Amino acid sequence: LIDGSLQPDAGTVNVSGGLAVMPQFVGTVRDGSSVRDLLVSVAPDRIRNAARAVDAAEAALASNDDEAAQMVYAQALSDWAEAGGYDYENTWDMCTIEALGASYYSVMDREAVTLSGGEQKRVVLEALLRGPAEVLLLDEPDNYLDVPSKRRLEQQLRETRKTVLLVSHDRELLSEAADKILSVEPSPAGADVWVHGDGFASFHEARTERFARFEELRRRWDEQHARLRKLVVSLQQAAAVSHAMASRYAAAQTRLRKFEEIGPPPEPPRDQDITMRLKGGRTGVRAITVEKLELTGLMMPFDLEVFQGQRVAVLGSNGSGKSHFLRLLAGQPVDHSGAWKLGARVVPGHFAQTHAYPELEGRTLLD
């Protein structure tokens, strides 16, 4: 709604200053686009349009290297320069050096799919935080980031002079970076939105107090409703024996009807109670055994034993091979050397980082 992709059913949206958006899908780019394409996708319209013109002119020149194609290409480069494209390339160079440890010109044609989810996020975040837009919309910017990158993001959000509206489920990021909370909560009448004018540290206490106010308002409404109904009944009985009470009876009926037309206060948002149950059959003592395992081009050989019932955290920088390691244990093809095996009666359950399961397309939720 804020970036204009959707139109509100009611009300208006006003944005002061330039606006830049990081969509949620950044980190799961698998469409064959390059690092340059990824950076262009979050640049201002004039840069995106100029980049598309350069791409089209290059493609035309490659298929037909005549004078007309050369003139179109020269004009596209001139437009790119006039739009500030080369200045952006200098900024993008700083972004890729910070996020990937390599210059922009050395990675610009690299397919984004070869980057980890965290590396894609870091490249885009660097571009937006260094860019000219005064207002940033960040949809789950912390997804896929390793611990040092999350710490850097928290620091950048604290220090930036930009206005930032971010969506996140990370309590630590919210505590460190947000100074106001906009809460969207399910309620019987639809999503209920309220603003907590302080940070995340006091959010839960304020939310509990808000729920208590809902309950108090409903209790008062019920009490007043009961009093009005009782008054109508008593005046009805009085009017039956005295015509002088008829006008008071009619007035009480009108009052009750208007009270009921206004209706009770809205029901409080539903407090979600989510319980996770992770169950599995008993297995051998050793659930996973790894001997001199090396993921080709990603990590040095290592040994590991995981015993039944253990909870093991796999930490590492973005692009170090954590997801590859889990995919290997799940039975997917991953280039490696060394040995690994699952224990007796062990059946792996793999919850993938990107949740991408093309084989389920068109299937039902139950499937």
Side-chain angles (χ1 to χ4, degrees), residues 178-354:
D179 47 34
K180 182 182 290 187
I181 304 295
L182 176 71
S183 180
V184 182
E185 309 206 24
S187 71
D192 182 61
V193 181
W194 67 286
V195 177
H196 174 54
D198 204 350
F200 191 69
S202 59
F203 169 72
H204 288 290
E205 181 180 354
R207 184 172 180 265
T208 300
E209 292 175 355
R210 180 172 181 263
F211 279 25
R213 288 195 297 273
F214 272 104
E215 295 171 357
E216 175 64 15
L217 288 173
R218 181 57 192 249
R219 184 186 65 78
R220 291 181 182 179
W221 189 91
D222 288 340
E223 289 178 353
Q224 179 66 5
H225 189 216
R227 282 195 293 269
L228 289 174
R229 287 174 62 89
K230 184 177 180 180
L231 177 63
V232 168
V233 170
S234 65
L235 289 176
Q236 182 184 25
Q237 295 171 346
V241 297
S242 172
H243 293 295
M245 301 298 292
S247 60
R248 292 184 63 185
Y249 171 52
Q253 283 182 307
T254 301
R255 185 180 176 188
L256 176 61
R257 186 182 71 253
K258 290 182 176 181
F259 184 83
E260 291 177 337
E261 286 175 354
I262 295 173
E267 293 185 42
R270 298 187 181 99
D271 199 6
Q272 300 182 63
D273 184 14
I274 300 174
T275 303
M276 298 290 290
R277 295 184 299 276
L278 301 177
K279 296 182 178 179
R282 292 188 60 82
T283 66
V285 175
R286 289 180 177 82
I288 302 171
T289 303
V290 168
E291 295 179 357
K292 295 182 172 55
L293 179 66
E294 177 182 358
L295 301 188
T296 306
L298 290 173
M299 60 179 66
M300 300 297 290
F302 68 98
D303 298 331
L304 174 69
E305 285 186 324
V306 178
F307 294 91
Q308 180 191 5
Q310 284 187 317
R311 280 77 169 167
V312 180
V314 182
L315 294 181
S317 61
N318 291 133
S320 61
K322 304 183 297 297
S323 296
H324 283 70
F325 178 48
L326 296 186
R327 284 198 292 270
L328 177 67
L329 297 181
Q332 298 179 19
V334 176
D335 291 338
H336 70 282
S337 60
W340 67 275
K341 64 179 180 179
L342 301 178
R345 300 185 301 280
V346 170
V347 178
H350 184 213
F351 187 77
Q353 186 181 49
T354 58

Side-chain angles (χ1 to χ4, degrees), residues 91-129:
T91 300
W92 292 342
D93 188 55
M94 292 185 286
C95 295
T96 57
I97 288 174
E98 179 64 41
L100 305 176
S103 70
Y104 168 69
Y105 297 102
S106 67
V107 299
M108 59 181 288
D109 295 322
R110 179 177 171 183
E111 287 194 6
V113 70
T114 65
L115 304 180
S116 71
E119 288 172 327
Q120 292 183 22
K121 285 277 189 178
R122 286 164 56 188
V123 168
V124 170
L125 285 169
E126 290 292 336
L128 293 180
L129 288 165

